[in-house]
C-alpha cells in the first residue's frame, strides 16, 4: 500500500503541475522565469509521468506497485473511478471514509444519483466529462493538456522535448524579451474551453476526485494496520495462554505429582515401622514429625 499511497499523492501533484504549466505556456509572459522551451519540456515530462503513475496506481506492475487498486477488490475505489457521474461527492457527504460502512452508504447514494439521471458534477464547460467516472475525467484532462501542449509549444520539437532533463544555463535565467502581462494569453485563458476546463480542474472536480482516492487509500491502509494489530493481539494472547498451560502441565502438575509420590512413600514408611515395639516417647517423636505443631499443642 505504501507505493500506492505515494503515487496517489504524486498523481495529484502532477495534475496540478500540468494545469499550472499549461497556463504558463499560454501566457508566456516571463513571470515564471521559464522560457517556452523549458515550460513545454517540463509539461511534456509531467504529462507522461502522470499517465504512467495513473497506470501504476490502477493496474499495478509499475513503480513498485505489485497489485493495482482495480484488482485489490476495493469496490469504493472502482465505483468512483468507473461509475457514472462525480460519485466522489457522495463520499464527501459521508464524512470519514470507511471501507465497509462507507461503501454501503456510498452505493445507496450512487443508486439515487443514477436513478435521477443527475451526474452531480460541477463542470460547466464539459458537463459530460465525468460521464463514466473519475477515470474518464482524468483522461479528458490529459488529452486536453496534450492538445494545449501541441498548440502552444514551440514548433521545433527538438528544442524543448528534453529541456526538462537538461540544466538551465545561467544566461537564460534572466534573458527575457519582456516581463509584462500577456493580455492575449489572458484572453485565451478566459475564452478557450480547453483552457477553462484545465484551470477548473486545478481545484475542481478532478482535484476533489483524486483527493478522495487518496483518502480511500489512507483508510485502506488504516484498515490493514487495524487487522494486523488485532491479529497480533490474538497471537500475543495465544502465546500467554500457551505459556501458562505449559507452566501448569509441565512444571506445576509435575511438582504436585512428585509431592504426592513423596507423601505416599512417607506413609508407606510409617506403616512399615514396628510401632508396637516402640516406647511412648519414641512414638511421640514419630508423631511430632507428621502432626503440625499447633495440633500437637492442642493434644497436649
Amino acid at each position: 500500500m505504501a507505493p500506492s499511497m505515494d503515487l496517489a499523492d504524486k498523481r495529484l501533484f502532477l495534475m496540478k503541475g500540468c494545469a499550472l504549466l499549461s497556463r504558463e505556456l499560454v501566457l508566456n509572459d516571463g513571470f515564471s522565469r521559464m522560457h517556452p522551451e523549458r515550460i513545454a519540456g517540463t509539461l511534456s515530462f509531467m504529462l507522461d509521468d502522470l499517465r504512467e503513475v495513473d497506470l501504476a496506481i490502477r493496474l499495478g506492475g509499475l513503480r513498485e506497485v505489485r497489485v493495482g487498486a482495480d484488482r485489490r477488490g476495493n469496490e469504493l475505489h472502482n465505483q468512483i473511478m468507473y461509475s457514472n457521474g462525480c460519485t466522489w461527492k457522495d463520499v464527501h457527504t459521508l464524512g470519514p471514509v470507511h471501507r465497509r460502512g462507507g461503501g454501503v452508504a456510498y452505493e445507496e447514494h450512487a443508486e439515487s444519483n443514477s436513478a435521477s439521471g443527475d451526474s452531480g458534477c460541477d463542470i460547466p464547460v464539459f458537463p459530460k466529462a465525468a460521464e463514466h467516472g473519475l477515470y474518464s475525467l482524468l483522461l479528458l484532462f490529459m488529452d486536453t493538456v496534450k492538445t494545449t501542449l501541441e498548440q502552444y509549444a514551440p514548433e521545433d520539437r527538438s528544442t524543448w522535448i528534453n529541456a526538462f532533463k537538461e540544466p538551465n544555463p545561467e544566461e537564460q535565467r534572466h534573458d527575457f524579451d519582456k516581463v509584462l502581462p500577456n493580455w492575449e494569453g489572458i484572453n485565451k485563458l478566459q475564452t478557450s474551453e480547453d483552457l477553462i476546463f484545465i484551470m477548473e480542474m486545478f481545484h475542481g472536480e478532478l482535484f476533489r476526485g483524486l483527493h478522495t482516492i487518496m483518502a480511500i487509500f489512507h483508510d485502506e491502509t488504516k484498515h490493514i494496520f487495524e487487522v494486523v494489530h488485532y491479529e497480533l493481539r490474538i497471537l500475543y494472547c495465544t502465546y500467554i495462554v500457551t505459556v501458562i498451560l505449559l507452566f501448569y502441565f509441565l512444571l506445576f502438575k509435575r511438582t504436585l505429582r512428585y509431592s504426592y509420590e513423596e507423601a505416599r512413600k512417607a506413609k508407606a514408611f510409617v506403616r512399615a515401622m514396628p510401632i508396637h515395639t516402640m516406647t511412648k516417647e519414641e512414638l511421640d517423636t514419630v508423631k511430632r514429625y507428621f502432626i503440625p505443631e499447633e495440633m500437637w499443642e492442642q493434644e497436649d
Side-chain angles (χ1 to χ4, degrees):
M1 280 302 300
S4 295
M5 292 178 59
D6 291 340
L7 291 180
D9 191 12
K10 185 175 183 179
R11 180 171 60 179
L12 185 62
F13 163 77
L14 291 172
M15 183 277 294
K16 296 175 74 71
C18 286
L20 177 63
L21 290 174
S22 297
R23 183 191 68 178
E24 295 302 325
L25 184 62
V26 174
L27 291 176
N28 189 23
D29 52 12
F31 282 101
S32 64
R33 295 301 187 270
M34 296 173 68
H35 284 271
E37 293 80 9
R38 183 76 172 177
I39 297 175
T42 306
L43 179 57
S44 176
F45 176 85
M46 295 186 73
L47 182 59
D48 293 340
D49 201 25
L50 177 59
R51 293 184 185 277
E52 185 174 323
V53 166
D54 176 68
L55 187 65
I57 293 173
R58 293 185 299 104
L59 303 180
L62 296 170
R63 304 292 185 96
E64 299 182 358
V65 179
R66 296 183 179 180
V67 181
D70 291 2
R71 303 173 182 175
R72 285 203 300 267
N74 192 324
E75 296 181 2
L76 183 56
H77 168 271
N78 294 340
Q79 288 171 351
I80 290 176
M81 291 299 296
Y82 307 112
S83 295
N84 178 40
C86 298
T87 48
W88 50 91
K89 286 188 172 183
D90 299 317
V91 178
H92 281 298
T93 60
L94 299 175
V97 181
H98 296 288
R99 188 178 184 186
R100 294 183 179 178
V104 173
Y106 169 79
E107 291 174 359
E108 295 174 354
H109 281 269
E111 291 174 359
S112 61
N113 282 340
S114 59
S116 62
D118 182 15
S119 64
C121 297
D122 184 16
I123 310 175
V125 182
F126 301 133
K128 296 184 178 181
E131 189 172 8
H132 300 292
L134 182 62
Y135 180 57
S136 65
L137 182 61
L138 180 59
L139 283 181
L140 180 60
F141 174 81
M142 292 189 291
D143 292 340
T144 307
V145 171
K146 182 179 179 181
T147 302
T148 303
L149 178 62
E150 295 173 348
Q151 184 176 355
Y152 295 97
E155 295 183 359
D156 189 359
R157 182 180 175 86
S158 62
T159 60
W160 56 265
I161 189 61
N162 293 320
F164 176 76
K165 301 177 182 179
E166 297 174 356
N168 192 8
E170 184 67 27
E171 61 271 11
Q172 291 186 4
R173 294 180 182 174
H174 307 286
D175 181 19
F176 293 96
D177 296 334
K178 58 179 179 180
V179 185
L180 297 171
N182 182 354
W183 298 110
E184 182 181 356
I186 294 175
N187 183 60
K188 291 179 180 179
L189 288 175
Q190 296 174 348
T191 56
S192 172
E193 290 186 348
D194 288 349
L195 296 176
I196 292 175
F197 170 73
I198 291 175
M199 299 314 301
E200 283 180 349
M201 294 303 100
F202 183 84
H203 54 74
E205 295 295 352
L206 183 58
F207 168 78
R208 287 190 284 269
L210 295 179
H211 194 273
T212 301
I213 295 298
M214 289 178 56
I216 292 174
F217 285 171
H218 279 282
D219 183 74
E220 188 175 357
T221 304
K222 180 182 177 181
H223 175 74
I224 293 174
F225 276 114
E226 289 177 349
V227 171
V228 171
H229 183 247
Y230 176 74
E231 292 178 351
L232 287 177
R233 291 172 63 183
I234 293 178
L235 182 62
Y236 179 73
C237 292
T238 304
Y239 169 76
I240 295 298
V241 172
T242 302
V243 170
I244 293 175
L245 291 177
L246 289 176
F247 174 80
Y248 178 77
F249 285 104
L250 297 182
L251 183 61
F252 184 70
K253 290 282 288 185
R254 181 178 295 180
T255 303
L256 286 179
R257 287 197 298 269
Y258 178 78
S259 301
Y260 290 149
E261 182 64 20
E262 292 298 319
R264 186 189 64 79
K265 292 179 180 180
K267 291 180 179 180
F269 173 76
V270 171
R271 292 193 187 99
M273 293 179 62
I275 299 177
H276 58 280
T277 61
M278 293 182 179
T279 63
K280 184 176 182 306
E281 290 76 11
E282 293 174 342
L283 185 60
D284 289 341
T285 302
V286 174
K287 290 173 63 177
R288 284 180 180 275
Y289 180 78
F290 293 98
I291 298 176
E293 185 175 354
E294 295 80 4
M295 297 180 61
W296 184 262
E297 291 176 355
Q298 291 178 1
E299 291 184 4
D300 291 344

